[in-house]
Coordinates of all heavy atoms in Angstrom, one line a residue:
Chain B
L440 N -21.6 19.0 -26.8 CA -22.1 19.1 -25.4 C -21.6 20.3 -24.7 O -22.4 20.9 -23.9 CB -21.7 17.8 -24.6 CG -22.4 16.5 -24.9 CD1 -21.8 15.4 -24.1 CD2 -23.9 16.6 -24.6
R441 N -20.4 20.8 -25.0 CA -19.9 22.0 -24.4 C -20.8 23.2 -24.7 O -21.1 24.0 -23.8 CB -18.5 22.3 -24.8 CG -17.4 21.6 -24.0 CD -16.0 22.0 -24.4 NE -15.1 21.1 -23.7 CZ -13.8 21.0 -24.0 NH1 -13.3 21.8 -24.9 NH2 -13.0 20.2 -23.3
K442 N -21.3 23.2 -25.9 CA -22.3 24.2 -26.3 C -23.5 24.2 -25.5 O -24.2 25.2 -25.3 CB -22.6 24.1 -27.8 CG -21.4 24.6 -28.7 CD -21.8 24.5 -30.2 CE -20.5 24.7 -31.0 NZ -20.5 23.8 -32.2
Q443 N -23.9 23.0 -25.0 CA -25.1 22.9 -24.1 C -24.7 23.0 -22.7 O -25.6 22.8 -21.8 CB -25.7 21.5 -24.3 CG -26.1 21.2 -25.8 CD -26.4 19.7 -26.0 OE1 -26.6 18.9 -25.0 NE2 -26.4 19.2 -27.2
G444 N -23.5 23.4 -22.4 CA -23.1 23.6 -20.9 C -22.9 22.2 -20.2 O -23.0 22.1 -19.0
R445 N -22.5 21.2 -21.0 CA -22.2 19.9 -20.4 C -20.7 19.6 -20.7 O -20.2 19.9 -21.8 CB -23.1 18.8 -21.0 CG -24.5 18.9 -20.4 CD -25.4 17.9 -21.0 NE -24.9 16.5 -20.7 CZ -25.4 15.4 -21.3 NH1 -26.4 15.5 -22.3 NH2 -25.0 14.2 -21.0
Y446 N -20.0 19.0 -19.7 CA -18.6 18.9 -19.8 C -18.1 17.5 -19.8 O -18.0 16.9 -18.8 CB -18.0 19.8 -18.7 CG -18.3 21.2 -18.9 CD1 -19.5 21.8 -18.3 CD2 -17.6 22.0 -19.8 CE1 -19.9 23.1 -18.5 CE2 -18.0 23.3 -20.0 CZ -19.1 23.8 -19.4 OH -19.5 25.1 -19.6
L447 N -17.8 17.1 -21.1 CA -17.3 15.7 -21.3 C -15.8 15.8 -21.3 O -15.2 16.8 -21.8 CB -17.8 15.2 -22.6 CG -17.8 13.7 -22.9 CD1 -18.9 13.1 -22.0 CD2 -18.1 13.5 -24.4
G448 N -15.1 14.8 -20.7 CA -13.6 14.8 -20.7 C -13.1 13.5 -21.2 O -13.7 12.4 -20.9
I449 N -12.1 13.6 -22.1 CA -11.5 12.3 -22.6 C -10.1 12.3 -22.2 O -9.3 13.2 -22.4 CB -11.6 12.3 -24.2 CG1 -13.0 12.5 -24.6 CG2 -11.0 11.0 -24.7 CD1 -13.2 13.1 -26.0
G450 N -9.7 11.3 -21.4 CA -8.4 11.2 -20.9 C -7.6 10.0 -21.4 O -8.2 8.9 -21.6
I451 N -6.4 10.2 -21.8 CA -5.6 9.2 -22.4 C -4.3 9.0 -21.5 O -3.7 10.0 -21.1 CB -5.2 9.5 -23.8 CG1 -6.4 9.4 -24.7 CG2 -4.1 8.5 -24.4 CD1 -6.3 10.2 -25.9
A452 N -4.0 7.8 -21.3 CA -2.7 7.5 -20.6 C -2.0 6.3 -21.4 O -2.6 5.3 -21.6 CB -2.8 7.1 -19.2
T453 N -0.8 6.6 -21.9 CA -0.1 5.5 -22.5 C 1.1 5.2 -21.6 O 1.8 6.1 -21.2 CB 0.4 5.9 -23.9 OG1 1.1 7.1 -23.9 CG2 -0.7 6.1 -24.9
Y454 N 1.1 3.9 -21.2 CA 2.1 3.6 -20.1 C 3.0 2.5 -20.6 O 2.7 1.7 -21.5 CB 1.4 3.2 -18.8 CG 0.8 1.8 -19.0 CD1 1.5 0.6 -18.7 CD2 -0.5 1.6 -19.4 CE1 1.0 -0.6 -18.8 CE2 -1.1 0.3 -19.5 CZ -0.3 -0.8 -19.3 OH -0.9 -2.0 -19.4
V455 N 4.2 2.5 -19.9 CA 5.1 1.3 -20.0 C 5.6 1.1 -18.5 O 5.7 2.1 -17.8 CB 6.2 1.5 -21.0 CG1 7.1 2.7 -20.6 CG2 7.1 0.3 -21.0
E456 N 5.7 -0.1 -18.1 CA 6.1 -0.3 -16.7 C 7.1 -1.5 -16.7 O 7.3 -2.2 -17.7 CB 4.9 -0.5 -15.8 CG 4.1 -1.8 -16.1 CD 3.9 -2.6 -14.9 OE1 4.7 -2.4 -13.9 OE2 3.0 -3.4 -14.9
I457 N 7.6 -1.8 -15.5 CA 8.6 -2.9 -15.3 C 7.9 -4.0 -14.6 O 7.3 -3.7 -13.5 CB 9.8 -2.6 -14.4 CG1 10.2 -1.1 -14.5 CG2 10.9 -3.5 -14.7 CD1 11.2 -0.7 -13.4
T458 N 8.0 -5.2 -15.0 CA 7.5 -6.3 -14.2 C 8.6 -7.4 -14.2 O 9.6 -7.3 -14.8 CB 6.2 -6.9 -14.8 OG1 6.5 -7.5 -16.0 CG2 5.1 -5.8 -14.9
G459 N 8.2 -8.5 -13.5 CA 9.2 -9.6 -13.3 C 10.3 -9.1 -12.5 O 11.5 -9.3 -12.7
L460 N 9.9 -8.3 -11.4 CA 10.9 -7.7 -10.6 C 11.7 -8.7 -9.8 O 11.2 -9.8 -9.6 CB 10.3 -6.7 -9.7 CG 9.7 -5.4 -10.3 CD1 9.2 -4.4 -9.3 CD2 10.7 -4.7 -11.2
G461 N 12.8 -8.3 -9.4 CA 13.8 -9.2 -8.8 C 13.6 -9.6 -7.4 O 12.6 -9.3 -6.8

Side-chain angles (χ1 to χ4, degrees):
Chain B
L440 287 175
R441 273 185 191 168
K442 287 182 191 140
Q443 300 166 18
R445 287 176 62 190
Y446 297 91
L447 202 68
I449 304 154
I451 291 156
T453 51
Y454 73 87
V455 57
E456 66 126 340
I457 329 170
T458 66
L460 291 185

